[in-house]
Coordinates of all heavy atoms in Angstrom, one line a residue:
K762 N 13.0 -36.6 78.9 CA 12.8 -37.5 77.8 C 11.3 -37.8 77.5 O 10.9 -38.1 76.4 CB 13.5 -38.9 78.1 CG 15.0 -38.9 77.9 CD 15.5 -40.3 78.1 CE 17.0 -40.3 77.8 NZ 17.5 -41.7 77.9
I763 N 10.5 -37.6 78.6 CA 9.0 -37.9 78.4 C 8.2 -36.7 78.5 O 7.0 -36.7 78.3 CB 8.6 -38.9 79.4 CG1 8.7 -38.4 80.9 CG2 9.3 -40.2 79.3 CD1 7.9 -39.2 81.9
K764 N 8.8 -35.5 78.9 CA 8.0 -34.3 79.2 C 7.0 -33.9 78.2 O 5.8 -33.8 78.5 CB 9.0 -33.2 79.4 CG 8.3 -31.8 79.7 CD 9.4 -30.7 79.9 CE 8.7 -29.4 80.2 NZ 9.7 -28.3 80.3
D765 N 7.4 -33.7 76.9 CA 6.5 -33.2 75.9 C 5.3 -34.2 75.6 O 4.1 -33.8 75.6 CB 7.2 -32.9 74.6 CG 8.2 -31.8 74.8 OD1 8.0 -31.0 75.7 OD2 9.2 -31.7 74.0
R766 N 5.7 -35.5 75.5 CA 4.6 -36.5 75.2 C 3.7 -36.7 76.3 O 2.5 -36.8 76.1 CB 5.4 -37.8 74.8 CG 4.4 -39.0 74.5 CD 5.2 -40.1 73.9 NE 6.4 -40.4 74.7 CZ 6.5 -41.3 75.7 NH1 5.3 -41.9 76.1 NH2 7.6 -41.5 76.4
Y767 N 4.2 -36.6 77.5 CA 3.4 -36.9 78.7 C 2.4 -35.7 79.0 O 1.2 -35.9 79.2 CB 4.3 -37.0 80.0 CG 3.6 -37.2 81.3 CD1 3.0 -38.4 81.6 CD2 3.6 -36.1 82.2 CE1 2.4 -38.5 82.8 CE2 2.9 -36.2 83.4 CZ 2.3 -37.4 83.7 OH 1.7 -37.6 84.9
I768 N 2.9 -34.5 78.9 CA 2.0 -33.3 79.0 C 1.0 -33.2 77.9 O -0.2 -32.9 78.2 CB 2.9 -32.0 79.0 CG1 3.8 -31.9 80.2 CG2 2.0 -30.8 79.0 CD1 3.2 -31.9 81.6
K769 N 1.4 -33.6 76.7 CA 0.4 -33.6 75.6 C -0.8 -34.5 75.8 O -1.9 -34.3 75.4 CB 1.2 -34.0 74.3 CG 0.4 -33.6 73.0 CD 1.3 -33.9 71.8 CE 0.6 -33.5 70.6 NZ 1.5 -33.8 69.4
K770 N -0.5 -35.6 76.6 CA -1.5 -36.6 76.8 C -2.3 -36.3 78.1 O -3.1 -37.1 78.5 CB -0.9 -38.0 76.9 CG -0.4 -38.6 75.6 CD 0.1 -40.0 75.8 CE 0.5 -40.6 74.4 NZ 1.0 -42.0 74.6
G771 N -2.1 -35.1 78.6 CA -2.9 -34.7 79.8 C -2.3 -35.1 81.2 O -3.0 -35.0 82.2
G772 N -1.1 -35.5 81.2 CA -0.4 -35.9 82.4 C -0.1 -34.7 83.3 O 0.1 -33.6 82.8
V773 N -0.1 -34.9 84.6 CA 0.2 -33.9 85.6 C 1.5 -34.2 86.3 O 1.8 -35.4 86.6 CB -0.9 -33.7 86.7 CG1 -0.6 -32.6 87.7 CG2 -2.3 -33.5 86.0
V774 N 2.4 -33.2 86.5 CA 3.7 -33.5 87.1 C 3.9 -32.6 88.4 O 3.4 -31.4 88.4 CB 4.8 -33.2 86.1 CG1 4.8 -31.8 85.6 CG2 6.2 -33.5 86.7
F775 N 4.6 -33.1 89.4 CA 4.9 -32.4 90.6 C 6.4 -32.6 91.0 O 6.9 -33.7 90.8 CB 4.0 -32.9 91.8 CG 2.6 -32.5 91.7 CD1 1.7 -33.4 91.2 CD2 2.2 -31.2 92.1 CE1 0.3 -33.0 91.2 CE2 0.8 -30.9 92.0 CZ -0.1 -31.8 91.6
S776 N 7.0 -31.6 91.5 CA 8.3 -31.7 92.1 C 8.0 -32.4 93.4 O 7.0 -32.3 94.0 CB 8.9 -30.3 92.3 OG 9.1 -29.6 91.1
S777 N 9.0 -33.1 93.9 CA 8.9 -33.8 95.2 C 8.7 -32.8 96.4 O 9.3 -31.8 96.4 CB 10.1 -34.7 95.5 OG 11.3 -33.9 95.4
N778 N 7.7 -33.2 97.2 CA 7.4 -32.4 98.4 C 7.4 -33.3 99.6 O 6.4 -33.7 100.2 CB 6.0 -31.8 98.2 CG 5.6 -30.8 99.3 OD1 6.2 -30.7 100.3 ND2 4.5 -30.1 99.0
F779 N 8.7 -33.6 100.1 CA 8.8 -34.7 101.1 C 8.3 -34.3 102.5 O 7.9 -35.1 103.2 CB 10.3 -35.0 101.2 CG 10.8 -35.7 99.9 CD1 11.9 -35.2 99.2 CD2 10.2 -36.9 99.5 CE1 12.3 -35.8 98.0 CE2 10.7 -37.6 98.4 CZ 11.7 -37.0 97.6
A780 N 8.3 -33.0 102.8 CA 7.7 -32.5 104.0 C 6.2 -32.9 104.1 O 5.7 -33.4 105.1 CB 7.9 -31.0 104.2
F781 N 5.5 -32.6 103.0 CA 4.1 -33.0 102.9 C 3.9 -34.5 103.0 O 3.0 -35.0 103.7 CB 3.6 -32.4 101.6 CG 2.1 -32.7 101.3 CD1 1.2 -32.7 102.3 CD2 1.7 -33.0 100.0 CE1 -0.2 -33.0 102.0 CE2 0.4 -33.3 99.7 CZ -0.5 -33.3 100.7
Y782 N 4.7 -35.2 102.2 CA 4.5 -36.7 102.2 C 4.8 -37.3 103.5 O 4.1 -38.2 104.0 CB 5.4 -37.3 101.1 CG 5.3 -36.7 99.7 CD1 6.4 -36.7 98.9 CD2 4.1 -36.2 99.2 CE1 6.4 -36.2 97.6 CE2 4.0 -35.7 98.0 CZ 5.2 -35.6 97.2 OH 5.1 -35.1 95.9
G783 N 5.8 -36.8 104.2 CA 6.2 -37.2 105.5 C 5.1 -37.0 106.5 O 4.8 -37.9 107.4
D784 N 4.5 -35.8 106.5 CA 3.4 -35.5 107.4 C 2.2 -36.4 107.1 O 1.5 -36.9 108.1 CB 3.0 -34.0 107.3 CG 2.0 -33.6 108.4 OD1 2.4 -33.6 109.5 OD2 0.9 -33.4 108.0
M785 N 1.8 -36.6 105.9 CA 0.7 -37.5 105.5 C 1.0 -38.9 106.0 O 0.1 -39.6 106.5 CB 0.4 -37.5 104.0 CG -0.1 -36.1 103.5 SD -1.7 -35.6 104.3 CE -2.8 -36.8 103.6
S786 N 2.2 -39.4 105.9 CA 2.6 -40.7 106.3 C 2.4 -40.8 107.9 O 1.9 -41.8 108.3 CB 4.1 -41.0 106.0 OG 4.5 -42.2 106.6
R787 N 2.8 -39.8 108.6 CA 2.6 -39.8 110.1 C 1.2 -39.9 110.4 O 0.8 -40.6 111.4 CB 3.3 -38.5 110.7 CG 4.8 -38.6 110.8 CD 5.3 -37.5 111.7 NE 5.1 -36.2 111.0 CZ 6.0 -35.7 110.2 NH1 7.1 -36.4 109.9 NH2 5.8 -34.5 109.6
R788 N 0.3 -39.2 109.7 CA -1.1 -39.3 110.0 C -1.7 -40.7 109.8 O -2.5 -41.2 110.6 CB -1.9 -38.3 109.1 CG -1.6 -36.8 109.5 CD -2.0 -35.9 108.4 NE -1.5 -34.5 108.7 CZ -2.3 -33.6 109.2 NH1 -3.5 -33.8 109.5 NH2 -1.8 -32.4 109.5
V789 N -1.3 -41.3 108.7 CA -1.7 -42.7 108.4 C -1.2 -43.7 109.5 O -1.9 -44.5 110.0 CB -1.2 -43.2 107.0 CG1 -1.5 -44.7 106.8 CG2 -1.9 -42.4 105.9
M790 N 0.1 -43.5 109.8 CA 0.7 -44.4 110.8 C 0.1 -44.2 112.2 O -0.1 -45.2 113.0 CB 2.2 -44.3 110.9 CG 2.9 -44.5 109.6 SD 2.5 -46.2 108.8 CE 3.1 -46.0 107.2
N791 N -0.3 -43.0 112.6 CA -0.9 -42.7 113.8 C -2.3 -43.4 114.0 O -2.7 -43.9 115.0 CB -1.1 -41.2 114.1 CG 0.2 -40.5 114.4 OD1 1.2 -41.2 114.8 ND2 0.3 -39.2 114.2
I792 N -3.0 -43.5 112.8 CA -4.3 -44.2 112.8 C -4.1 -45.7 113.0 O -4.8 -46.3 113.9 CB -5.0 -43.9 111.5 CG1 -5.4 -42.5 111.4 CG2 -6.3 -44.8 111.4 CD1 -5.9 -42.1 110.0
L793 N -3.1 -46.2 112.3 CA -2.8 -47.6 112.5 C -2.4 -48.0 113.9 O -2.8 -49.0 114.5 CB -1.7 -48.1 111.5 CG -2.0 -47.9 110.0 CD1 -0.8 -48.3 109.2 CD2 -3.2 -48.7 109.6
D794 N -1.6 -47.1 114.5 CA -1.1 -47.3 115.8 C -2.2 -47.3 116.8 O -2.2 -48.0 117.8 CB 0.0 -46.3 116.1 CG 0.9 -46.7 117.3 OD1 1.3 -47.9 117.3 OD2 1.3 -45.9 118.1

């Protein structure tokens, strides 16, 4: 529904990459811990 308008305005889109997000989360939480 928003693809054409969003891309036209210079927006960037990504498919979900949960392995990457999970690993980055672990790094943040390890620092906090």
Side-chain angles (χ1 to χ4, degrees):
K762 285 189 175 182
I763 65 164
K764 179 180 177 181
D765 294 339
R766 179 167 48 90
Y767 177 76
I768 297 296
K769 196 173 182 179
K770 289 185 177 180
V773 181
V774 59
F775 289 98
S776 302
S777 52
N778 190 345
F779 294 119
F781 175 42
Y782 307 148
D784 187 69
M785 292 300 292
S786 173
R787 280 190 291 274
R788 290 164 189 261
V789 172
M790 300 308 165
N791 285 341
I792 293 169
L793 298 179
D794 202 40

